[in-house]
Amino acid sequence: MEEGYERPKDEDILEQEENIRSEVAASSCLVGDQEPLNVLLEEYSNPVLQKKIVELSQNYRCIRRIRGDGNCFYRACLCGLLERKKTLDGDRKVEECLAILAEWKNKLVESGFQLLVFEDAMDMLVEQLEQSKGGDLEATLSILRDSIISNFLIMLLRMITAAHLKQRSEHFEPFVLNYGGDCESMQDFCEKYVLPMGVESDHMHAVAFAEAMRLHIRIEYLDRSEASAQHDFKLEGNDSSSPDIMLLYRPGHYDVIYRKA
């Protein structure tokens, strides 16, 4: 080691790594085009990951990449919501979602959110769902790729998730108290890990969001564990075998995936 060399402090290294991640995220598209799922084989040399990608390719035809900016779970779900028209019963699904959003308008106020803060975002999401009935994918992608509009809608989805967690605090609070060791209450958890933009989502967020919007969300896990993993998030009693939204989870990140016909 050269004389006079001073090793960077750990916090400086972490800050630099975070800056690099932020730069990479900022340079990537918010919502990408569909790509064949097997393009992931080019990104991984690990045999376990390659085997899992081949297995996933048997059931899924393509992937739509979502920017890894900490909002990828909600952005991917938003993409799935607005693309539901493409399913056989798309119109019915959209109407169900519109009815659920109408209920959340009052629930959010009851949970302490000011109508003035979220009403425009709610109206915008309702408008986009109505327009999605026309099946104009390019118009949908244009909205999803507009950072101002899509982040505005993600803010609303975070509020709905937080409100649901608070409403079911007795169920979720035991998990919250062990979450990172720095949350003393559900309110504390929501303020630190749910409402702020750019904060990553995990299992508990997925459970709460799926329950709140009465969605069936299927997440396929692509990691180095030997066993294949798939998890369905939906309300208890929902016996639907066809997911509304399908996501691929790689550690710290979510993308949208699409089943073969």
Side-chain angles (χ1 to χ4, degrees):
M1 185 176 296
E2 295 181 7
E3 186 177 349
Y5 172 82
E6 183 177 348
R7 182 187 179 278
K9 297 179 181 178
D10 289 343
E11 54 265 35
D12 292 334
I13 295 173
L14 291 173
E15 182 180 0
Q16 183 179 28
E17 289 177 348
E18 180 59 34
N19 289 338
I20 292 171
R21 280 195 292 268
S22 298
E23 288 174 8
V24 171
S27 65
S28 64
C29 184
L30 282 174
V31 175
D33 293 324
Q34 290 187 4
E35 304 174 64
L37 188 66
N38 58 18
V39 300
L40 295 177
L41 289 170
E42 302 171 9
E43 300 179 21
Y44 299 102
S45 58
N46 182 280
V48 172
L49 294 175
Q50 289 228 333
K51 178 175 180 289
K52 287 187 173 184
I53 293 167
V54 170
E55 291 173 350
L56 286 169
S57 297
Q58 295 173 4
N59 296 315
Y60 297 92
R61 58 183 175 82
C62 60
I63 180 172
R64 190 186 295 282
R65 298 176 194 263
I66 306 297
R67 179 183 289 181
D69 59 358
N71 299 310
C72 54
F73 171 73
Y74 295 101
R75 201 180 308 279
C77 288
L78 180 61
C79 184
L81 279 175
L82 296 179
E83 285 192 294
R84 288 168 80 186
K85 167 64 183 176
K86 295 168 68 177
T87 63
L88 292 176
D89 58 350
D91 281 346
R92 180 180 65 81
K93 295 285 189 181
V94 170
E95 291 300 328
E96 288 177 358
C97 192
L98 288 169
I100 292 166
L101 282 175
E103 294 176 11
W104 270 110
K105 194 167 189 175
N106 292 326
K107 288 181 180 180
L108 285 173
V109 173
E110 293 170 0
S111 296
F113 294 101
Q114 294 183 10
L115 182 62
L116 183 65
V117 173
F118 69 83
E119 187 173 32
D120 286 347
M122 180 78 75
D123 291 344
M124 190 178 295
L125 182 54
V126 168
E127 179 183 356
Q128 293 307 315
L129 284 165
E130 291 282 8
Q131 290 182 5
S132 74
K133 294 179 183 178
D136 187 344
L137 181 58
E138 288 306 313
T140 297
L141 289 175
S142 177
I143 292 299
L144 292 168
R145 289 168 176 166
D146 185 308
S147 61
I148 295 176
I149 296 175
S150 61
N151 286 344
F152 200 39
L153 299 178
I154 288 169
M155 176 198 72
L156 172 66
L157 300 187
R158 285 182 175 275
M159 286 182 178
I160 289 173
T161 304
H164 184 75
L165 284 165
K166 292 176 185 177
Q167 290 176 2
R168 295 202 63 208
S169 60
E170 289 185 5
H171 173 74
F172 288 106
E173 204 150 59
F175 306 99
V176 165
L177 296 177
N178 294 321
Y179 198 95
D182 62 345
C183 295
E184 298 180 356
S185 66
M186 179 59 73
Q187 180 69 29
D188 196 20
F189 174 77
C190 289
E191 289 179 357
K192 291 178 179 177
Y193 295 108
V194 184
L195 292 170
M197 295 291 286
V199 175
E200 294 180 0
S201 303
D202 61 15
H203 187 95
M204 186 156 54
H205 299 78
V207 171
F209 180 72
E211 289 183 355
M213 294 299 295
R214 297 175 214 160
L215 292 167
H216 178 180
I217 301 174
R218 175 166 294 168
I219 299 180
E220 300 279 0
Y221 293 83
L222 181 59
D223 54 29
R224 295 175 186 270
S225 62
E226 292 291 339
S228 297
Q230 175 193 91
H231 197 96
D232 287 301
F233 297 86
K234 55 186 178 179
L235 272 174
E236 187 175 345
N238 182 342
D239 58 359
S240 167
S241 60
S242 179
D244 300 306
I245 298 170
M246 288 159 286
L247 306 180
L248 177 67
Y249 177 79
R250 289 175 281 176
H253 184 68
Y254 297 87
D255 291 305
V256 188
I257 50 177
Y258 302 84
R259 288 183 67 89
K260 291 182 175 179

